[in-house]
């Protein structure tokens, strides 16, 4: 498991900011967007259709209410599920935003300013696309400067298998839906909902489900022939474990190249911020954790911090729809396919 933590910078930042701040208003949002691309939706004959490929981004977030003075560790599990019977490929990108000052995080009467030294010079609270992309080593886009965000939030990337992750397979199997699957305080941005498609509230903790536990809810699927979503009530799913990770579940693209371009159950963090699952996501399974824990240190100030999560999932035939794939990432994907 890789940790982005740079303690030598925290002391200076605290001495500078704490004396001038009087109030803490903290909000962390987890926004998941999911993009599915598939052109292999075809009829076999008039009465039988092949199952559509599909996957779902999961975001289990515990929130901050259990922390003292907004400092400590909180669960933030991000992983990808393949709910279909066809292998798929996956990549995920994280981006962050933080602002400090009166009205931080509010839509109105907001006089806060984005955190300096975090790559947020042109960022705004409302535009997630303007937020700072999380890059290997915690660096900004210049690849030499450590983001000041790392003074406040440590990202525990990867999965060392020390705590098996048990998840409930998604009830949203509509592969035309771009919604993510969230629990706890993970916010699904397209719908503004928490605990999506479950019908109950969950804590968003790492161990919120037990292996073999069942849950019944309404299943969402897509009817290709009629071009509409189908809702099937009283469908029961059984909790299962994510796959076991290798190499600690995470490495940078530079590490991947230096190690001879291995394939396996781990995420590869490219220099542009995209994290690629380094093998197929098998049918009816889920990747190991991309992100496991947030360790926060916001102290006493009026602050907003947000993390946005987006994913691209596709079959091999549809990879040409992915935008901005670097040469190294293209090599990785070709190694998987071939």
């Amino acid at each position: 498991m890789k940790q982005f933590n740079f303690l030598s910078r925290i002391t200076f930042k605290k001495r500078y900011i704490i004396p001038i701040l009087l109030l803490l208003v903290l909000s962390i949002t987890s926004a998941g967007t999911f993009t599915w691309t598939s052109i292999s939706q075809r009829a076999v004959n008039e009465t039988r259709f092949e199952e559509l490929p599909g996957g779902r981004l999961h975001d289990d977030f515990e929130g901050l209410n259990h922390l003292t003075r907004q400092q400590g560790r909180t669960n933030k599990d991000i992983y990808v599920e393949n709910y279909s019977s066809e292998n798929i490929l996956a990549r995920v990108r994280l981006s962050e935003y933080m602002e400090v000052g009166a009205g931080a995080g509010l839509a109105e009467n907001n006089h806060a300013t984005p955190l300096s030294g975090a790559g947020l010079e042109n960022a705004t609270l409302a535009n997630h696309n303007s937020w700072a992309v999380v890059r290997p080593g915690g660096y900004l886009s210049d690849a030499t400067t450590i983001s000041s965000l790392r003074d406040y939030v440590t990202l525990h990337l990867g999965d060392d298998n020390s705590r098996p992750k048990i998840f409930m397979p998604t009830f949203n199997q509509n592969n035309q839906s771009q919604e993510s699957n969230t629990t706890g305080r993970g916010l699904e941005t397209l719908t503004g909902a928490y605990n999506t498609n479950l019908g109950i509230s969950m804590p968003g903790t790492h161990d919120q489900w037990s292996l073999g536990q069942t849950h019944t809810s309404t299943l969402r699927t897509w009817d290709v022939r009629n071009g509409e979503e189908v809702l099937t009530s009283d469908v029961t799913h059984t909790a299962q474990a994510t796959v076991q990770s290798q190499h600690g579940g995470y490495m940078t693209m530079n590490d991947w190249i230096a190690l001879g371009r291995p394939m396996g159950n781990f995420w590869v963090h490219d220099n542009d911020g995209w994290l690629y699952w380094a093998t197929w996501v098998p049918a009816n399974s889920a990747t190991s954790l991309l992100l496991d824990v947030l360790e926060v240190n916001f102290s006493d100030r009026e602050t907003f911090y947000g993390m946005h999560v987006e994913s691209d999932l596709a079959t091999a035939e549809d990879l040409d729809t992915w935008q901005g794939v670097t040469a190294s990432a293209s090599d990785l994907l070709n190694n998987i396919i071939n």
Side-chain angles (χ1 to χ4, degrees), residues 167-200:
F167 75 101
M168 183 61 65
T170 183
F171 286 89
N172 182 2
Q173 295 185 3
N174 174 358
N175 80 340
Q176 302 300 302
S177 168
Q178 295 185 332
E179 300 168 22
S180 56
N181 200 97
T182 65
T183 63
R185 300 306 300 166
L187 175 66
E188 206 300 300
T189 51
L190 294 179
T191 62
Y194 298 93
N195 298 288
T196 51
N197 305 296
L198 287 173
I200 59 172

Side-chain angles (χ1 to χ4, degrees), residues 6-193:
F6 303 91
L7 296 177
S8 62
R9 296 169 57 84
I10 292 178
T11 303
F12 170 79
K13 186 66 70 172
K14 280 186 175 180
R15 284 202 303 263
Y16 178 74
I17 292 182
I18 286 179
I20 62 174
L21 295 167
L22 304 176
L23 176 67
L24 171 67
V25 177
L26 177 68
S27 175
I28 285 191
T29 63
S30 167
T33 61
F34 160 71
T35 302
W36 172 253
T37 305
S38 177
I39 59 173
S40 58
Q41 302 175 14
R42 55 190 182 276
V44 176
N45 53 52
E46 291 186 355
T47 59
R48 177 178 177 273
F49 288 84
E50 291 188 4
E51 181 182 5
L52 301 178
R56 193 68 54 201
L57 175 70
H58 283 254
D59 188 338
D60 304 327
F61 180 41
E62 186 178 7
L64 299 178
N65 290 339
H66 64 290
L67 301 181
T68 301
R69 297 187 64 194
Q70 312 301 345
Q71 299 178 7
R73 295 163 64 97
T74 187
N75 187 67
K76 176 75 169 175
D77 290 341
I78 294 176
Y79 51 102
V80 170
E81 175 194 355
N82 177 3
Y83 57 75
S84 71
S85 59
E86 183 173 348
N87 291 344
I88 63 173
L89 299 159
R91 69 174 183 172
V92 174
R93 184 167 61 181
L94 311 177
S95 55
E96 301 170 289
Y97 178 80
M98 181 172 171
E99 61 182 30
V100 179
L106 301 179
E108 299 180 356
N109 298 319
N110 185 333
H111 303 287
T113 56
L115 182 67
S116 177
L120 298 171
E121 292 78 8
N122 299 313
T124 63
L125 173 66
N127 183 7
H128 296 159
N129 292 328
S130 69
W131 292 11
V133 172
V134 175
R135 300 175 189 272
Y139 288 101
L140 298 178
S141 58
D142 63 8
T144 59
T145 307
I146 299 295
S147 171
S148 58
L149 279 162
R150 301 286 70 82
D151 296 350
Y152 305 97
V153 183
T154 299
L155 308 179
H156 292 253
L157 297 169
D159 184 352
D160 61 7
N161 297 318
S162 62
R163 301 186 303 153
K165 175 62 181 180
I166 309 301
F167 75 101
M168 183 61 65
T170 183
F171 286 89
N172 182 2
Q173 295 185 3
N174 174 358
N175 80 340
Q176 302 300 302
S177 168
Q178 295 185 332
E179 300 168 22
S180 56
N181 200 97
T182 65
T183 63
R185 300 306 300 166
L187 175 66
E188 206 300 300
T189 51
L190 294 179
T191 62

